[in-house]
């Protein structure tokens, strides 16, 4: 496929990739990776839990350091690949305080390079850099590629699968389909929201061959191989933890959760999140649409609407990207509990759409100068986060006075993690849904708190652990007494020799 052009999914074999193109590819990937890391450095070293999941999964990493296993000892709301990847990142980071966040930053790098790779297959080098730049600076992407979060790795692997599929289109090889299957399996074994991207990848492979009987058979075979490998990845990674427990905690748990918003409310939340966190992507996409409309009107007036192969190919690419967006929106609106982090799955296809046929670079530059300050203002809390303040800071300092091997249970696990202490694995995730579905009850919490090395239970909200009305009296039977930090935070501190 020519480096500066676009070919359709039905085209003949592409010419060999030139050595200069490979060199540009590697150089661009290195520059993008460095830029991605630099942008994330302040948040990586943030001295507080950036979001609830940051504390949940970092606490899970600490539990794994103690030999506790996902799904068996540690409640895991994500697929069977996720916590093992967190364990690897924690190990690579020498099990330091911020080591678990390495997975998210690595996911940010992989996602950025994968988007660049996808764009490089369907548009010019400059446009590919634009798409990657929009993604790596996206607020939604930043929020899932610095805090420990499952959406970042899942999205990165799913877009990588699409990149492999586009590579397969250029040069159909079974080996490439195998790599695509591995990436797809890793993605869906973290988060089901990866499915729309994987559907697109599968369709690309199916439609890659020429319209001949032999070519169609090859496409079907290789797509089936990729799909089989993806399923195999899930099964193989779930087996050690027990498939029933994995399915119950990572899938049924979410489907049985109470609906957070109506379908209409969820759709509004998607739009609000995109505008709040992803202004650069939204503005770039709007400019691309305006540019297309202007060019269409001009060509119509000049009678130049006859479509060539390039136009047909671009139509196919746009159709695939729009289908990707529609499927993600459908899932976001349908899922019972849609959180703002989930909106990130829309960013890659929207950025690719914006970069296919952007306006002139001068227009983009002016738009960027006008939009960047507002984008930064909307995302300051993830670009330059501070530490804990007020009641939370006072609690953190107090927790640091306890023995290093003391454990604490909290409805905000990040407070325990940032104090340098561990949480029992089954209470690393203390989300509202676990109280709603009865997997955390007053009885189970008090039972865990009665263990010798647990020295405190932290209540930060009246609608979280605070809803367990008989908790203070039940804890008092195990030598706990309340210590208040301001109006909202209470530490039920234990009076035992181990804890003092």
């Amino acid at each position: 496929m020519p480096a500066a052009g676009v070919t359709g999914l039905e085209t003949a074999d592409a010419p060999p990739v030139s050595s200069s193109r490979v060199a540009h590819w590697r150089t661009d990937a290195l520059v993008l990776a460095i830029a991605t890391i630099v942008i994330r450095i302040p948040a990586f070293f943030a001295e507080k839990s950036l979001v609830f999941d940051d504390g949940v999964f970092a606490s899970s990493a600490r539990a794994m350091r103690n030999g506790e296993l996902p799904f068996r000892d540690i409640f895991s709301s994500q697929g069977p690949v996720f916590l093992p990847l967190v364990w690897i990142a924690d190990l690579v980071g020498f099990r330091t305080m911020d080591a678990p966040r390495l997975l998210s930053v690595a996911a940010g790098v992989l996602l950025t390079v994968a988007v660049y790779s996808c764009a490089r297959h369907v548009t010019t080098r400059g446009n590919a850099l634009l798409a990657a730049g929009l993604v790596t600076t996206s607020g939604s992407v930043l929020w899932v590629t610095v805090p420990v979060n499952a959406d970042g790795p899942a999205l990165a692997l799913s877009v990588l699968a699409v990149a492999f599929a586009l590579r397969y289109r250029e040069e159909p090889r079974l080996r490439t389909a195998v790599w695509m299957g591995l990436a797809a399996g890793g993605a869906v074994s973290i988060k089901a929201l990866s499915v729309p991207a994987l559907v697109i990848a599968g369709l690309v492979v199916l439609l890659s061959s020429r319209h001949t009987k032999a070519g169609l058979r090859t496409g079907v075979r290789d797509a089936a191989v990729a799909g089989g490998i993806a399923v195999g990845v899930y099964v193989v990674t779930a087996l050690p933890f027990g498939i029933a427990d994995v399915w119950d905690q990572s899938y049924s748990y979410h489907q049985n959760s109470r609906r957070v918003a109506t379908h209409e409310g969820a759709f509004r939340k998607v739009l609000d999140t995109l505008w709040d966190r992803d202004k650069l992507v939204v503005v770039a996409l709007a400019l691309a649409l305006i540019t297309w409309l202007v060019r269409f009107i001009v060509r119509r007036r000049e009678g130049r609407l006859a479509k060539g192969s390039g136009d047909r190919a671009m139509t196919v690419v746009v159709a695939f990207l729009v289908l990707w967006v529609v499927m993600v929106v459908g899932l976001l609106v349908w899922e019972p509990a849609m959180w703002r982090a989930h909106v990130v799955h829309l960013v890659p296809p929207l950025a690719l759409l914006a970069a296919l046929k952007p306006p002139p670079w001068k227009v983009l530059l002016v738009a960027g100068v006008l939009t960047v300050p507002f984008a930064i203002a909307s995302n300051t809390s993830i670009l330059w986060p501070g530490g804990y303040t007020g009641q939370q800071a006072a609690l953190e300092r107090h927790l640091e006075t306890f023995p290093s091997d003391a454990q604490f249970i909290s409805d905000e696990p990040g407070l325990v993690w940032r104090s340098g202490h561990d949480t029992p694995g089954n209470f690393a995730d203390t989300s509202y849904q676990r109280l709603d579905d009865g997997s955390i009850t007053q009885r189970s919490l008090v039972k865990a708190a009665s263990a010798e090395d647990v020295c405190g239970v932290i209540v930060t909200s009246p609608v979280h652990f605070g809803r367990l009305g008989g908790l203070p009296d039940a804890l008092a039977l195990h030598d706990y007494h309340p210590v208040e930090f301001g109006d909202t935070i209470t530490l039920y501190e234990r009076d035992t020799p181990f804890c003092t």
Side-chain angles (χ1 to χ4, degrees):
M1 182 182 66
V6 181
T7 57
L9 296 175
E10 70 283 355
T11 57
D13 293 339
V17 178
S18 67
S19 58
S20 62
R21 184 182 173 193
V22 172
H24 288 157
W25 203 309
R26 291 174 177 171
T27 300
D28 293 345
L30 178 61
V31 171
L32 288 168
I34 293 173
T36 298
I37 293 170
V38 169
I39 292 170
R40 286 156 175 77
I41 286 176
F44 179 84
F45 291 109
E47 296 180 346
K48 68 176 181 181
S49 176
L50 295 169
V51 292
F52 184 78
D53 282 356
D54 199 24
V56 167
F57 299 128
S59 297
S60 300
R62 294 183 68 94
M64 287 188 288
R65 294 178 191 177
N66 299 328
E68 297 188 67
L69 295 175
F71 302 102
R72 294 186 178 182
D73 308 306
I74 305 169
F75 180 88
S76 178
S77 62
Q78 309 304 317
V81 165
F82 179 62
L83 282 187
L85 288 179
V86 173
W87 182 86
I88 292 172
D90 191 41
L91 185 65
V92 171
F94 302 105
R95 294 181 168 173
T96 53
M97 179 75 77
D98 300 311
R101 287 176 174 163
L102 285 173
L103 174 62
S104 293
V105 174
V109 172
L110 178 59
L111 173 61
T112 302
V113 174
V115 167
Y116 170 81
S117 178
C118 289
R120 201 68 182 88
H121 284 294
V122 296
T123 188
T124 64
R125 181 187 181 192
N127 292 354
L129 287 169
L130 171 62
L134 289 173
V135 167
T136 200
T137 57
S138 153
S140 289
V141 171
L142 285 168
W143 278 108
V144 301
T145 56
V146 183
V148 195
N149 187 285
D151 287 281
L155 181 60
L157 288 170
S158 65
V159 176
L160 180 63
V162 176
F164 278 126
L166 290 169
R167 175 59 181 162
Y168 178 94
R169 177 174 65 87
E170 281 192 354
E171 192 174 357
R173 287 184 177 180
L174 180 59
R175 179 178 62 188
T176 306
V178 169
W179 282 111
M180 187 190 92
L182 289 171
V188 80
S189 297
I190 296 175
K191 218 165 183 69
L193 278 172
S194 306
V195 169
L198 306 184
V199 170
I200 296 300
L203 289 174
V204 170
V205 170
L206 281 173
L207 299 177
S208 290
S209 303
R210 296 178 182 180
H211 294 295
T212 65
K213 194 171 182 180
L216 181 60
R217 282 200 302 266
T218 299
V220 171
R221 181 204 67 186
D222 292 349
V225 168
I229 289 174
V231 172
V233 169
Y234 183 90
V235 172
V236 169
T237 54
L239 275 175
F241 308 119
I243 290 181
D245 286 339
V246 170
W247 187 260
D248 183 56
Q249 294 181 32
S250 65
Y251 183 78
S252 299
Y253 168 76
H254 297 287
Q255 298 311 308
N256 296 331
S257 63
R258 59 183 170 89
R259 176 160 289 281
V260 174
T262 63
H263 299 302
E264 184 180 335
F267 183 70
R268 287 198 302 268
K269 189 174 183 178
V270 169
L271 297 180
D272 290 344
T273 300
L274 285 173
W275 180 244
D276 182 38
R277 294 184 171 181
D278 307 302
K279 288 181 177 65
L280 290 176
V281 176
V282 173
V283 169
L285 180 60
L287 289 174
L289 290 173
I290 293 171
T291 300
W292 173 84
L293 182 61
V294 170
R295 288 171 178 169
F296 176 82
I297 294 173
V298 170
R299 291 176 63 184
R300 184 174 183 178
R301 288 180 176 177
E302 295 178 355
R304 294 188 292 112
L305 285 181
K307 290 187 177 182
S309 61
D311 290 324
R312 288 193 298 270
M314 183 61 70
T315 300
V316 173
V317 173
V318 170
F320 270 59
L321 291 173
V322 170
L323 176 60
W324 186 351
V325 170
V326 169
M327 286 190 294
V328 174
V329 170
L331 272 180
L332 293 178
V333 171
W334 170 76
E335 66 173 333
M338 192 275 284
W339 307 109
R340 298 187 81 190
H342 299 172
V343 178
V344 73
H345 293 266
L346 282 170
V347 173
L350 291 178
L352 289 167
L353 279 170
L356 283 178
K357 290 289 185 179
W361 289 101
K362 290 182 180 179
V363 175
L364 280 175
L365 180 61
V366 171
V369 169
L370 295 175
T371 308
V372 165
F374 296 100
I376 292 175
S378 297
N379 294 290
T380 301
S381 56
I382 186 63
L383 288 168
W384 299 286
Y388 287 123
T389 58
Q391 302 172 39
Q392 292 179 324
L395 173 62
E396 183 186 15
R397 290 192 297 269
H398 183 68
L399 294 179
E400 290 171 352
T401 65
F402 285 81
S404 60
D405 52 351
Q407 294 195 346
F408 295 86
I409 301 172
S410 175
D411 56 11
E412 181 58 58
L415 291 166
V416 180
W417 164 46
R418 297 312 301 186
S419 72
H421 290 94
D422 295 338
T423 295
N426 193 42
F427 290 85
D429 185 342
T430 52
S431 59
Y432 290 97
Q433 170 61 15
R434 295 198 66 199
L435 274 71
D436 291 342
D437 66 13
S439 59
I440 292 179
T441 63
Q442 177 184 308
R443 181 177 180 181
S444 66
L445 195 160
V446 172
K447 181 179 179 181
S450 66
E452 182 182 357
D453 55 352
V454 176
C455 293
V457 175
I458 302 166
V459 179
T460 67
S461 169
V463 296
H464 210 156
F465 277 0
R467 76 169 80 167
L468 304 174
L471 186 61
D473 293 336
L475 289 174
L477 298 176
H478 296 276
D479 301 315
Y480 285 92
H481 68 274
V483 178
E484 294 184 355
F485 294 83
D487 299 329
T488 59
I489 299 178
T490 300
L491 166 66
Y492 291 93
E493 183 177 315
R494 201 172 194 183
D495 293 323
T496 63
F498 176 83
C499 297
T500 56

